[in-house]
């Protein structure tokens, strides 16, 4: 026993120098860096969630198109995300966030590639009140890519691959960053008091306007509107579409939560949790509203409407997910779900073919969500909100329409009738998503 005690004492004495060294190596950051660290970490984690929405859009679209066009949607989504990443780096980021480098003050940002701080922040004075440039760039890029994803689903099953990708280049490099700079970059809409917390207008309605312009110029799918009758074209995989919706629902917590922009105080952390709760209940409100309304109108529940109802609820709360209580957030989301149920047949009456319902979800519910800000945020002005919706809508619709028209005249944007009938997977890509099954 005495021998064991002696050994233990010896071990303790041997360890003392190393314990002292560990104390000397303490690298606890100073207080002024802690907020910077937490906010940077928040941008990275919420950015991961928003990136996961790209998978959600892909699965939703793959499930809602016919079997013969699934590979095309998969290709478009991986390509548009990658193109957005490059274009936002080369042009978009500084065009959207020019700081003091506006080309036209408050209207047109700076034309230069994005650049990050030196490795380890060496020999630089960093603004420790915010976050790292790398994390901010990454987070904001995800919003840019989301805008392009919205367009993909609307124009499915009849658009050529390469003209679509050329449009994505213009959208992610110029159209999205320019209008986003007017609000989030400190431009003229922001100076006028426009409020759009996480992008009901800046992201979602922009994607919707671009999709609407494309749908009008591209035209509907063959046989969709024939002899005055709407012919439904059912999706290939509703389980996949449902999975996509849940992925988008999850990703939206990053979309809205990260838009708090700071995680450096207890108040900011509490607000982020409040945003999460409101985002979730708005989606639930949209889904339940569509569930009940389709049962009343059609005597049967329409799953695709319920899925889009949840997404419309998410879009609706995105413009102001912080100030509402849970009850108000639920009702705001529910109105989004109702909008979808009525907007889908409304577009069909106009013979505007939107394969996945992106225009009702992102454009119509995006407009509603931007207006709904005035219901819970006393700083919002209805006139300012409407004016900003109009300005962004006219800009995006006109420029997008011009780009689509030019592409139609130069490259041609629509596949031939034979290729559309046979499916874009084989016509454009030469491979099928489900080769062991017959064409749907």
């Amino acid at each position: 026993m005495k021998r064991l005690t002696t050994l233990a004492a010896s071990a303790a004495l041997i360890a003392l120098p190393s314990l002292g060294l560990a104390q000397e190596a303490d690298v606890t950051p100073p207080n002024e860096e802690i907020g910077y660290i937490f906010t940077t970490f928040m941008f990275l984690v919420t950015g991961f969630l928003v990136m996961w929405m790209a998978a959600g859009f892909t699965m939703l679209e793959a499930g809602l198109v016919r079997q013969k066009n699934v590979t095309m949607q998969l290709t478009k989504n991986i390509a548009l995300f990658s193109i957005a990443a490059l274009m936002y780096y080369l042009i978009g980021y500084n065009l959207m966030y020019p700081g003091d480098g506006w080309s036209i003050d408050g209207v047109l940002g700076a034309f230069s590639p994005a650049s990050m701080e030196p490795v380890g922040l060496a020999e630089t004075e960093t603004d420790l009140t915010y976050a790292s440039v790398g994390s901010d760039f990454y987070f904001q890029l995800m919003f840019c890519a989301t805008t392009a994803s919205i367009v993909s689903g609307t124009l499915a099953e009849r658009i050529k691959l390469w003209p679509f990708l050329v449009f994505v280049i213009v959208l992610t490099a110029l159209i999205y960053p320019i209008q986003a700079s007017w609000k989030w970059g400190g431009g003229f809409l922001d100076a006028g008091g426009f409020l759009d917390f996480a992008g009901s207008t800046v992201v979602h309605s922009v994607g919707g306007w671009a999709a609407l312009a494309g749908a009008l110029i591209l035209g509907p799918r063959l046989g969709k509107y024939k002899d005055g009758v709407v012919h439904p074209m059912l999706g290939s995989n509703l389980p996949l579409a449902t999975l996509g919706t849940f992925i988008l629902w999850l990703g939206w917590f990053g979309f809205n939560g990260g838009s708090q922009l700071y995680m450096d105080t207890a108040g900011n952390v509490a607000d982020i949790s409040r945003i999460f709760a409101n985002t979730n209940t708005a989606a639930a409100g949209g889904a339940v509203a569509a569930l009940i309304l389709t049962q009343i109108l059609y005597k049967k529940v329409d799953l695709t409407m319920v899925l889009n109802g949840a997404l419309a609820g998410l879009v609706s709360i995105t413009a102001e997910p912080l100030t509402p209580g849970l009850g108000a957030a639920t009702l705001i989301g529910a109105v989004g779900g109702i909008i979808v149920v009525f907007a889908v047949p409304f577009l069909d009456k106009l013979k505007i073919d939107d394969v996945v319902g992106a225009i009702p979800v992102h454009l119509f519910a995006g407009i509603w969500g931007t207006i709904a800000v005035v219901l819970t945020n006393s700083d919002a002005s209805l006139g300012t909100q409407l004016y900003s919706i109009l300005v962004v809508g006219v800009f995006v619709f006109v420029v997008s329409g011009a780009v689509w028209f030019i592409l139609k005249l130069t490259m041609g944007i629509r596949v031939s009738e034979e290729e559309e009938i046979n499916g874009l997977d084989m016509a454009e890509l030469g491979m099928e998503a489900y080769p062991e099954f017959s064409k749907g």
Side-chain angles (χ1 to χ4, degrees):
M1 185 69 179
K2 183 176 180 182
R3 179 178 175 81
L4 290 173
T5 303
T6 303
L7 287 172
S10 301
L13 289 170
I14 293 170
L16 281 176
S18 62
L19 290 172
L21 288 173
Q23 291 175 351
E24 291 173 9
D26 184 9
V27 290
T28 301
N31 288 337
E32 61 267 21
E33 291 186 13
I34 292 175
Y36 175 88
I37 292 168
F38 274 106
T39 300
T40 295
F41 180 73
M42 177 198 71
F43 277 145
L44 295 175
V45 172
T46 53
F48 301 157
L49 284 171
V50 184
M51 180 182 176
W52 189 227
M53 290 174 71
F57 278 113
T58 305
M59 295 300 97
L60 179 68
E61 293 173 24
L64 292 181
V65 300
R66 288 170 291 178
Q67 183 178 309
K68 61 187 179 182
N69 297 308
V70 172
T71 304
M72 174 61 96
Q73 292 310 110
L74 304 178
T75 304
K76 284 162 62 180
N77 275 276
I78 189 71
L80 72 84
F81 184 87
S82 303
I83 289 170
L86 298 179
M87 290 301 103
Y88 200 65
Y89 150 59
L90 292 172
I91 302 174
Y93 183 64
N94 282 329
L95 195 57
M96 183 169 163
Y97 292 107
D100 296 327
W102 290 90
S103 299
I104 302 175
D105 191 36
V107 176
L108 187 64
F111 288 90
S112 60
S115 60
M116 298 182 289
E117 303 100 336
V119 175
L121 300 180
E123 299 178 1
T124 183
E125 292 185 9
T126 301
D127 179 9
L128 296 177
T129 64
Y130 189 48
S132 72
V133 174
S135 68
D136 184 58
F137 167 80
Y138 176 76
F139 181 68
Q140 298 299 338
L141 162 62
M142 297 305 123
F143 285 66
C144 180
T146 296
T147 306
S149 296
I150 294 166
V151 184
S152 172
T154 294
L155 308 180
E157 301 202 311
R158 72 269 199 208
I159 193 168
K160 293 179 179 179
L161 175 63
W162 287 104
F164 171 77
L165 296 182
V166 171
F167 180 81
V168 169
I169 291 173
V170 178
L171 178 66
T172 56
L174 298 171
I175 298 174
Y176 170 78
I178 288 172
Q179 63 79 34
S181 74
W182 299 343
K183 166 55 188 169
W184 292 343
F188 74 97
L189 291 182
D190 184 59
F194 176 43
L195 298 182
D196 189 2
F197 192 94
S200 285
T201 285
V202 172
V203 176
H204 294 283
S205 74
V206 167
W209 286 118
L212 177 60
L216 290 172
I217 294 173
L218 185 64
R221 289 168 289 176
L222 294 173
K224 176 67 175 179
Y225 308 113
K226 189 175 181 181
D227 301 325
V229 178
V230 178
H231 296 274
M233 296 179 173
L234 302 180
S236 62
N237 194 326
L238 290 181
L240 204 60
T242 305
L243 173 63
T245 300
F246 273 115
I247 291 173
L248 287 166
W249 192 327
L250 174 65
W252 229 285
F253 296 121
F255 203 95
N256 288 354
S259 294
Q260 178 68 14
L261 300 182
Y262 293 92
M263 200 174 78
D264 55 349
T265 66
N268 278 322
V269 173
D271 283 351
I272 292 169
S273 64
R274 182 183 177 96
I275 290 167
F276 274 40
N278 281 338
T279 298
N280 188 69
T281 197
V288 171
L291 182 84
I292 294 171
L293 191 54
T294 53
Q295 177 68 52
I296 293 171
L297 294 177
Y298 307 123
K299 309 307 178 188
K300 291 182 181 179
V301 172
D302 185 327
L303 173 62
T304 61
M305 289 287 196
V306 177
L307 299 179
N308 277 331
L311 297 177
L314 289 162
V315 172
S316 299
I317 201 63
T318 294
E320 186 46 89
L322 176 60
T323 57
L326 288 171
T330 304
L331 292 175
I332 290 169
V335 172
I338 293 169
I339 287 171
V340 162
V341 174
F342 287 111
V344 169
F346 172 70
L347 287 179
D348 282 335
K349 287 183 179 179
L350 298 176
K351 296 184 178 180
I352 299 173
D353 189 8
D354 180 353
V355 177
V356 303
I359 294 170
V361 168
H362 298 279
L363 176 54
F364 293 176
I367 291 171
W368 153 244
T370 306
I371 294 171
V373 175
V374 303
L375 301 178
T376 62
N377 190 328
S378 59
D379 293 331
S381 161
L382 179 59
T384 301
Q385 296 299 100
L386 292 173
Y387 168 74
S388 301
I389 291 168
L390 181 64
V391 168
V392 172
V394 169
F395 169 74
V396 175
F397 184 76
V398 170
V399 175
S400 296
V403 175
W404 285 124
F405 187 70
I406 292 169
L407 289 171
K408 182 178 181 179
L409 294 178
T410 54
M411 301 178 70
I413 59 176
R414 183 161 186 152
V415 298
S416 68
E417 289 190 10
E418 181 181 359
E419 290 173 330
E420 185 175 340
I421 292 169
N422 292 332
L424 275 63
D425 286 1
M426 291 305 296
E428 288 272 292
L429 303 171
M431 63 178 65
E432 297 176 295
Y434 311 107
E436 68 274 26
F437 297 110
S438 60
K439 292 181 179 179

